Amino acid sequence: MEQHQLTVTGMTCAACSSRIEKVLNRMDGVDAKVNLATEVATVNLDQIQVEQVIARIEKLGYGAHIRVEEDLYLHERQLKTKRNRVILSSILSLPLLYTMFGHMPYTNNVYMPNILMNPYFQWFIASIVQFGIGYPFFISAYKALINKSANMDVLVVMGTMSAYLYSVYQTLTMHHPHLYFETSAVLITLILLGKYFEARAKGKSSDAIRKLVQLQSKTAMVERDGQPLEVPVKYIEMTDIVLVKPGEKFPIDGLIIEGNTSVDESMLTGESIPVTKSAGQTVYSATINQTGAVKIQPTKAIDDTMLAHIIKIVEQAQGSKAEIQRIADKVSNVFVPIVVLIAMITFLLWYFVITNGDLNAAFQSAIAVLVIACPCALGLATPTSIMAGTGRAAELGILFKGGEYLETSGKLTAIVLDKTGTITKGQPEVTDIIGLTDKEYQYVQALEAHSEHPIASAISKETGHKVTSVQSITGQGIQGVVDGQLVEVGNLKMFNTLGTFEKTYLTLSQSKTVVIVRIDGKLKGLIAVSDPIKENAKEAILSMHAMGLEVYLLTGDQKSVANAVAKEVGIKNIYAEVLPEEKLNVVKTIKAHHKTGMVGDGINDAPALAEADVGIAMGTGTDIAIETSDITLVKGDITKVTEAIQISKLTVRNIKQNLFFAFIYNIIGIPIAASGMLAPWIAGAAMAFSSVSVVLNALRLQRIKLK
C-alpha cells in the first residue's frame, strides 16, 4: 500500500479526529490514522488516489493537504492567532465582568459608569465576543451536529447562547432587565484561554520532529573527478566520495574508506564516550567527527539514513498513541440532547398545560433550565484542575505537556529507565587510580591535556610539568616526554603485557574504561574512568519499588556495565546492548503487560519516549528527548518521577470531585427550574456558584505537599 501523510486543519477535539478517521476507514482501499496532537493523518492507500481522500476530508468541513516540511512551522502562526484572540476577548469581557458589582448588595459606593450599565452597550460588546471572537465554537459545534455527534463546543455554544439570548430578550422586553451578557463573554474567554494552553502543549510534538530535521547537515563536501565540490546534502550521489573534517557532522551514512578518527555518536547511542573509527567501519548521519579528517563512501540515500529512520519512528510512535477522550466530551454526547429535550418539554408543558398560552412564563422556565444547565462548571472542571496541578508540578520542577498525561501518569505500573544521563551523570569521571604515585598521576594529567579524547578530558589537568614530543596513536592512546621521562597512556592494544595489573585490569574493565600507564618503559599502573551513578538514583528507584512499580534498565552499553549499574541501584530487569530502534521494541514488549513510563535523555531515546504510554525526559538531556516526551523533569532529578505520579493521582481525584460539583447543581437545579420555581437570574447565580466551587476546589492542588 502507498503511504501518505496529510496535514489536517480545523480539528478542535478528539471527536473531530475520531470522526475523520471513521469516515476515511469506510472508504475502499484506505487505512487511516488521525492524530489530533500532531494534526496529521497517516493514510495507507490501495488503488485510490490521495486527492480523493483529501476531497473526503474537505467534504466533512476540515482542511487537508499533503504534508510538507513548512507545516512544521504552521503551528507557531496558529498559536499566535489563538493568543491574540484570548487577549482581545479578555479586554472586551472585563467591562462586562465589572458590571456585576452594580447588581451586588453593599456595592453602592463602587464607581459604575452609566454606559457600562446600558443594556444596549452590553449587548454590543457581548455580541462581538459571542459571534466575532467565539465563531470557532459555532463552526466546530455545527460540524459536530451535522456529523451526528456532540462535543464540548456544542455545550459551549448552548450555554453561552442561552445566557446571551435570554439577555437579549430581557433587553428588548423589560424596563429593568436582568442581564447575563457577562456570563457568556467570560465563559468564552476562559475556554479560549484553556484551548490556547492546550494548543501550546500539542505543538511540542511537531517541535520534536522539526528539531530532528534540523540535525541534518545542509551541505556536504564531495570529491568528484578528483576535485572537491560543496553540494546540498540531498544531491549527494552513491558514487560520491564525501570529505569530512574534524568538528563537522557526517552528512550521510557511509563507510570510511580513508583516515582514522573518533566519532561522537551520543546523539544516536546516548553514550558520552566517543567511538574510534577507521577504514571499513560505518559512520552515521548527524554524528560528529572529532579528531581526524576522513573520506567516506555513502551507503544509504539521504531518506534512508539512521537519522531519517529515527524521525520516521518518532512520527509513527506519536501517531499510534491513543487519544484520551476527556470526561466532559464523553458526557456531552448524552448531556446535551437530554438538557435540550428537558427544556423543550418544559416550554411545551408550561405553554399548553400549566399556563394555557402564557408565552413569557413558558419561555422563562425553559430558559431557566438551559441557564442552570449551562456547562460553565462542566467546562471548567477539567482545565482548572489541570492548570492548578500542572502549576504546582512546575513549582516542583515537573513539566507536564498536557492534561492527558496527568491522567495517564497515575495509572503507570512499570517504569523503563535509560542508563546514561538518567541513572548515571552522563559525563566520564576518574573512579580508580591503581599503582600510581601522586607525581606519576600528575605526569599523566599533564600529557592528557594535549589530547582531545573525552577520556583525556576526564583525566587532564594543567600541572606545570613540561611536556614535549607528544604523539597521538590513533585508536590506542598517547605518548610524550614529561620532565624528561617518556610517558605512555593507552588501551590494551598499546601494550603487550599487563604484568601484575592483569587481574585488576580484568576486574575493572568489566564495568569501566581502563587506561594503562607506562613510564620509561615500565608499567606503573591503571586509571579507570566511568560514568558515575547519580547520588539520588538508588533512593529514587527504592521509591518506585515502594509504589509497586516494575522497574527496568534499558541501555545501549555492554552487558557487564549494565549489570554493575543495575546491581548498585537495585534493578533486576535489564535490557543491555540495545540499539535505538530496538529500544522502541523493548518498550512495546513491556507495554503489552504494563502501563509503561519511559525515562530518558538522549536522541536515541526519542522513539521509545514517544512509544511509551508516558515519556519522561530529563531536563538536562537533549532538546529532542524533551520535545518528544510528555513530561520533563527540569533539573534531571530522577526522584521527580514518583512525584509526577503522585501529582497525577491527586489531580485526577480533584477532577472527579469537580465533576461532582458541576453536576450536583444540574441534578438539583434542573427539576426546580422546570417546575417554574427558579427564576433565570437565580439559575444564573446557581450556575456561577457551581463554577466558583469548581475553581476553589481546583486551587487546593496548588498547596499539595508530597510524601
Side-chain angles (χ1 to χ4, degrees):
M1 298 183 77
E2 190 177 296
Q3 187 176 91
H4 293 274
Q5 286 197 323
L6 307 177
T7 295
V8 181
T9 57
M11 296 188 295
T12 60
C13 68
C16 298
S17 57
S18 176
R19 179 64 180 171
I20 296 171
E21 190 171 296
K22 287 179 181 177
V23 170
L24 293 184
N25 284 326
R26 290 195 193 111
M27 299 175 68
D28 292 334
V30 177
D31 176 38
K33 290 183 179 179
V34 181
N35 190 314
L36 176 66
T38 58
E39 297 183 328
V40 171
T42 303
V43 292
N44 293 293
L45 308 179
D46 183 16
Q47 298 180 347
I48 187 172
Q49 298 298 314
V50 68
E51 288 78 14
Q52 293 174 263
V53 175
I54 292 174
R56 191 69 185 90
I57 295 174
E58 290 176 343
K59 189 176 179 181
L60 290 172
Y62 304 93
H65 61 265
I66 295 176
R67 193 183 188 201
V68 293
E69 187 174 330
E70 287 73 18
D71 289 342
L72 295 174
Y73 304 91
L74 177 63
H75 176 79
E76 295 177 2
R77 297 194 295 272
Q78 294 175 336
L79 195 62
K80 186 176 180 179
T81 300
K82 290 178 185 292
R83 183 199 64 193
N84 292 341
R85 188 174 287 128
V86 169
I87 293 171
L88 180 58
S89 186
S90 300
I91 292 172
L92 292 172
S93 298
L94 283 174
L96 295 176
L97 188 63
Y98 184 68
T99 63
M100 291 179 64
F101 290 102
H103 302 289
M104 293 181 178
Y106 313 112
T107 58
N108 294 332
N109 295 326
V110 174
Y111 174 70
M112 187 66 61
N114 290 331
I115 191 171
L116 291 185
M117 299 305 293
N118 186 309
Y120 291 94
F121 176 78
Q122 292 188 28
W123 184 4
F124 174 71
I125 296 295
S127 297
I128 297 175
V129 176
Q130 186 77 19
F131 302 110
I133 298 173
Y135 79 91
F137 296 118
F138 288 86
I139 294 173
S140 176
Y142 171 73
K143 290 176 182 176
L145 293 174
I146 63 171
N147 288 306
K148 300 177 182 178
S149 63
N151 59 10
M152 191 64 199
D153 290 335
V154 173
L155 290 174
V156 172
V157 169
M158 183 193 73
T160 57
M161 282 302 293
S162 63
Y164 176 85
L165 290 175
Y166 179 71
S167 299
V168 171
Y169 170 75
Q170 287 281 313
T171 299
L172 295 175
T173 61
M174 301 295 175
H175 184 64
H176 297 290
H178 296 285
L179 303 179
Y180 302 98
F181 285 124
E182 77 283 348
T183 300
S184 61
V186 170
L187 177 59
I188 285 175
T189 301
L190 290 174
I191 294 175
L192 283 174
L193 182 63
K195 285 186 174 288
Y196 169 70
F197 286 126
E198 184 178 356
R200 286 184 60 183
K202 282 167 55 180
K204 295 300 182 182
S205 53
S206 59
D207 287 346
I209 302 298
R210 186 183 69 214
K211 289 186 178 182
L212 281 170
V213 171
Q214 290 173 344
L215 283 175
Q216 176 66 59
S217 299
K218 301 301 180 185
T219 62
M221 187 66 69
V222 301
E223 187 178 282
R224 292 179 182 172
D225 299 325
Q227 298 296 321
L229 177 67
E230 187 175 15
V231 300
V233 170
K234 62 182 178 180
Y235 294 131
I236 294 177
E237 299 174 1
M238 302 299 286
T239 55
D240 285 333
I241 302 300
V242 183
L243 312 176
V244 186
K245 297 177 181 178
E248 294 180 344
K249 291 180 181 178
F250 286 98
I252 199 162
D253 291 3
L255 285 177
I256 295 178
I257 59 174
E258 184 180 314
N260 300 286
T261 188
S262 291
V263 181
D264 179 359
E265 294 186 337
S266 59
M267 58 80 61
L268 283 178
T269 65
E271 301 304 322
S272 56
I273 299 175
V275 180
T276 300
K277 299 276 187 176
S278 56
Q281 293 185 291
T282 302
V283 291
Y284 299 101
S285 171
T287 59
I288 301 172
N289 181 24
Q290 288 204 320
T291 56
V294 295
K295 295 181 179 181
I296 66 171
Q297 179 76 54
T299 56
K300 297 282 183 67
I302 191 64
D303 294 332
D304 197 33
T305 62
M306 178 70 81
L307 177 62
H309 189 49
I310 287 179
I311 292 172
K312 186 176 180 180
I313 288 173
V314 171
E315 289 178 332
Q316 289 177 342
Q318 289 181 337
S320 66
K321 280 186 175 181
E323 294 292 335
I324 298 174
Q325 186 79 22
R326 290 189 178 181
I327 296 174
D329 279 338
K330 291 179 179 179
V331 171
S332 67
N333 285 319
V334 178
F335 182 70
V336 175
I338 289 177
V339 170
V340 173
L341 181 62
I342 292 173
M344 291 175 61
I345 293 173
T346 300
F347 179 85
L348 294 172
L349 284 174
W350 274 89
Y351 187 76
F352 290 106
V353 179
I354 300 174
T355 63
N356 193 23
D358 188 340
L359 181 61
N360 187 58
F363 184 70
Q364 286 203 40
S365 297
I367 288 295
V369 170
L370 290 175
V371 171
I372 194 70
C374 179
C376 293
L378 183 60
L380 293 171
T382 301
T384 50
S385 292
I386 289 170
M387 291 176 70
T390 53
R392 177 57 177 153
E395 292 175 4
L396 298 171
I398 304 165
L399 303 181
F400 287 90
K401 285 190 178 176
E404 58 267 40
Y405 311 119
L406 267 176
E407 182 177 350
T408 307
S409 298
K411 300 174 183 177
L412 296 179
T413 58
I415 294 291
V416 181
L417 300 172
D418 175 55
K419 178 181 74 68
T420 306
T422 302
I423 296 176
T424 64
K425 293 182 178 180
Q427 293 293 333
E429 294 180 6
V430 174
T431 58
D432 302 272
I433 303 172
I434 310 297
L436 298 174
T437 65
D438 289 344
K439 189 173 184 179
E440 289 169 341
Y441 183 57
Q442 288 178 13
Y443 284 168
V444 175
Q445 288 179 307
L447 178 62
E448 292 286 19
H450 293 265
S451 173
E452 297 178 353
H453 199 284
I455 291 294
S457 67
I459 301 172
S460 66
K461 183 180 178 183
E462 186 58 52
T463 61
H465 294 287
K466 184 179 179 181
V467 181
T468 58
S469 304
V470 178
Q471 182 182 357
S472 177
I473 305 171
T474 302
Q476 297 185 30
I478 189 172
Q479 66 181 34
V481 176
V482 184
D483 287 355
Q485 299 186 64
L486 177 62
V487 179
E488 300 167 278
V489 183
N491 57 27
L492 196 56
K493 293 179 182 178
M494 193 169 173
F495 303 94
N496 296 323
T497 178
L498 291 170
T500 57
F501 296 108
E502 183 173 358
K503 186 175 180 180
T504 305
Y505 178 90
L506 293 174
T507 300
L508 290 173
S509 61
Q510 292 284 324
S511 58
K512 303 176 182 180
T513 300
V514 183
V515 295
I516 305 159
V517 179
R518 186 163 60 190
I519 300 177
D520 283 342
K522 296 180 181 180
L523 286 173
K524 291 292 185 177
L526 309 172
I527 301 172
V529 176
S530 75
D531 186 2
I533 292 171
K534 292 181 178 179
E535 293 80 2
N536 55 8
K538 188 172 182 179
E539 172 195 346
I541 291 163
L542 283 173
S543 297
M544 293 176 198
H545 287 308
M547 293 183 75
L549 296 169
E550 196 74 25
V551 184
Y552 296 81
L553 175 64
L554 183 60
T555 180
D557 213 340
Q558 58 188 347
K559 290 182 180 178
S560 59
V561 175
N563 289 332
V565 171
K567 184 178 180 181
E568 186 169 345
V569 297
I571 299 177
K572 295 180 180 178
N573 306 306
I574 306 166
Y575 289 90
E577 300 179 5
V578 181
L579 295 175
E581 60 267 29
E582 292 173 344
K583 287 189 175 185
L584 175 75
N585 294 329
V586 169
V587 171
K588 280 185 177 179
T589 301
I590 297 171
K591 273 181 67 177
H593 305 284
H594 294 281
K595 201 77 169 176
T596 305
M598 167 72 191
V599 187
D601 76 322
I603 292 175
N604 63 304
D605 301 320
L609 287 168
E611 173 61 32
D613 294 299
V614 177
I616 305 172
M618 310 301 280
T620 51
T622 65
D623 287 345
I624 305 304
I626 292 170
E627 299 296 352
T628 307
S629 65
D630 307 314
I631 301 172
T632 300
L633 308 181
V634 177
K635 295 181 180 179
D637 185 353
I638 194 175
T639 60
K640 298 295 181 180
V641 173
T642 51
E643 291 186 7
I645 294 173
Q646 289 181 60
I647 290 173
S648 168
K649 291 180 177 179
L650 291 169
T651 304
V652 169
R653 185 176 69 180
N654 192 270
I655 290 172
K656 291 177 179 178
Q657 292 168 349
N658 279 352
L659 289 172
F660 170 79
F661 284 121
F663 280 110
I664 195 67
Y665 293 97
N666 288 325
I667 293 170
I668 296 173
I670 289 176
I672 297 175
S675 68
M677 299 170 61
L678 194 63
W681 71 270
I682 297 176
M687 175 193 65
F689 185 67
S690 68
S691 300
V692 172
S693 300
V694 163
V695 173
L696 291 177
N697 185 56
L699 291 177
R700 294 190 305 111
L701 288 171
Q702 295 181 345
R703 300 189 299 273
I704 58 173
K705 294 182 180 180
L706 303 177
K707 298 179 181 179

